[in-house]
Amino acid sequence: MTMMMMEKHFQYWAALTLFSLVNLSSLTNLFEMDQKYWSTTQRWVISAASISLIMSVATCFMQIAMKERFTGKSRMEIGWVVVVLAMWCASLPYLMDDERGFAVAQRNRFVQNANIFFSAWGALATSLMLATSHFEIYYNRFDDHYLYEWVGFSATSLVVLCDTARFFNRNCGNDAEFEAVDEMCNRAAFGIALGAISSVAGISIAWLQVKLMFAQMISLIFLLAWAFGVAYLTFDEGPATAVGSLYFATWLSLIFVLFVAAHAVLSMFHELLGFTPEEETPAPAEEGGTVTKDEVVDTKVGGDDAEEEEVAETA
């Protein structure tokens, strides 16, 4: 593995160390330390943050001391990435549950503890980037366009799916009495469908390495769907009006698919307008550099003129 890739992984592990430390410190400040008995959920989120912190710090030291033996296609590092990613995937639903009141308020579903909220999401995002980077190395996908964007799109769509499903199960049913509640439930059902389709499509495109043109066409469809989805879920009676995980995940899904679709739109308009990429002109030859065709012709003509002058003088 190149030195650049090693430095990138070290940066990821260092960031994961910071996020884990902030999350653990915030949780310990939130919980009553003199409490005799902690709930099972409290013990789990504390354990997940602690294990993530220990593994991140240990990995940073191993990358400094062991260098290439612990990076690249090292099974040990890949295993640790899988463990940390699984820890945060299992811990996040409890941290973001508004009924438990760790990071999100119980009544209005707003963020009440920003350190717990953003450090947990930062740790999950960093773990996901580490996993994607190892997937890129292991399967030699360095030339894959928008791999990280599709993985991010799939992850945020999955968050939309889970949060809207949880909202629907708690607030919707046959006993809904108000029209506003029915409208909110309809929008939550739309979020469930859109999140499910998008998460499956995103991870499939990232895994199967489909053709770039096909992926760009799909991104255009999802761009329209999520542009409507953002308006439908985050405005008026939408379930994502509160600034929380569902709100951020909805907007991030649109942003990720926009990154992919923007290139497709640009290429489409260039093709319609007849624009063609300009051919690069080779630089002048310098000390063994590339010799252009024009220079060869000039040299040949100059050599013929010199030969003619020598013949004339001899005559």
Side-chain angles (χ1 to χ4, degrees), residues 1-311:
M1 186 174 63
T2 63
M3 184 62 65
M4 183 180 298
M5 190 66 67
M6 292 174 59
E7 292 177 356
K8 185 172 72 171
H9 283 193
F10 183 79
Q11 291 172 351
Y12 289 157
W13 283 110
L16 186 58
T17 301
L18 176 62
F19 289 133
S20 302
L21 178 61
V22 172
N23 191 264
L24 179 61
S25 302
S26 301
L27 287 173
T28 53
N29 288 334
L30 178 64
F31 301 154
E32 297 180 3
M33 299 304 299
D34 56 350
Q35 185 177 351
K36 292 183 179 180
Y37 299 102
W38 281 2
S39 65
T40 304
T41 304
Q42 289 175 323
R43 293 180 180 180
W44 165 244
V45 294
I46 287 287
S47 300
S50 301
I51 294 173
S52 177
L53 178 61
I54 293 172
M55 296 182 72
S56 301
V57 173
T59 304
C60 288
F61 279 110
M62 287 183 181
Q63 287 198 348
I64 294 174
M66 301 176 65
K67 295 183 179 180
E68 295 184 355
R69 288 183 294 176
F70 191 75
T71 54
K73 293 185 179 181
S74 171
R75 294 183 178 180
M76 185 175 182
E77 186 182 11
I78 294 174
W80 284 33
V81 170
V82 172
V83 171
V84 172
L85 180 60
M87 282 285 184
W88 285 110
C89 287
S91 178
L92 226 72
Y94 297 104
L95 293 175
M96 302 302 152
D97 190 357
D98 55 333
E99 289 190 352
R100 303 182 189 276
F102 294 155
V104 182
Q106 295 181 358
R107 294 184 178 180
N108 52 20
R109 295 180 287 115
F110 279 92
V111 177
Q112 70 174 1
N113 193 315
N115 282 335
I116 295 177
F117 183 88
F118 288 106
S119 63
W121 283 114
L124 177 65
T126 307
S127 303
L128 191 61
M129 292 181 70
L130 271 169
T132 306
S133 179
H134 280 284
F135 174 82
E136 182 182 31
I137 295 171
Y138 194 84
Y139 291 100
N140 194 21
R141 299 282 291 273
F142 296 102
D143 57 343
D144 194 353
H145 296 277
Y146 308 113
L147 174 63
Y148 287 83
E149 285 81 355
W150 282 115
V151 172
F153 174 69
S154 177
T156 53
S157 300
L158 183 61
V159 174
V160 173
L161 167 63
C162 295
D163 277 3
T164 50
R166 180 166 55 186
F167 177 88
F168 189 89
N169 291 332
R170 291 179 179 176
N171 300 283
C172 304
N174 297 327
D175 56 346
E177 299 179 356
F178 303 103
E179 183 178 355
V181 175
D182 290 336
E183 177 64 21
M184 191 175 294
C185 293
N186 291 335
R187 299 191 182 203
F190 172 80
I192 294 173
L194 182 60
I197 296 172
S198 300
S199 59
V200 173
I203 198 63
S204 299
I205 293 174
W207 180 267
L208 298 176
Q209 197 177 9
V210 300
K211 293 183 178 180
L212 180 60
M213 183 178 298
F214 179 70
Q216 289 177 340
M217 294 301 297
I218 293 179
S219 69
L220 291 175
I221 298 174
F222 278 120
L223 178 63
L224 297 176
W226 277 101
F228 174 77
V230 166
Y232 199 54
L233 296 176
T234 63
F235 284 87
D236 299 329
E237 291 84 14
T241 54
V243 180
S245 56
L246 181 55
Y247 177 85
F248 287 115
T250 304
W251 275 104
L252 284 174
S253 298
L254 176 62
I255 293 173
F256 277 126
V257 76
L258 177 63
F259 287 159
V260 182
H263 185 270
V265 173
L266 184 64
S267 301
M268 181 178 63
F269 276 99
H270 280 182
E271 185 176 353
L272 291 175
L273 296 175
F275 292 161
T276 56
E278 296 181 358
E279 297 182 359
E280 296 183 358
T281 56
E286 293 181 359
E287 297 182 0
T290 303
V291 180
T292 63
K293 183 178 179 180
D294 293 339
E295 289 176 339
V296 173
V297 174
D298 293 341
T299 304
K300 184 177 180 180
V301 173
D304 294 340
D305 294 341
E307 290 179 359
E308 291 178 357
E309 289 178 0
E310 291 179 359
V311 172

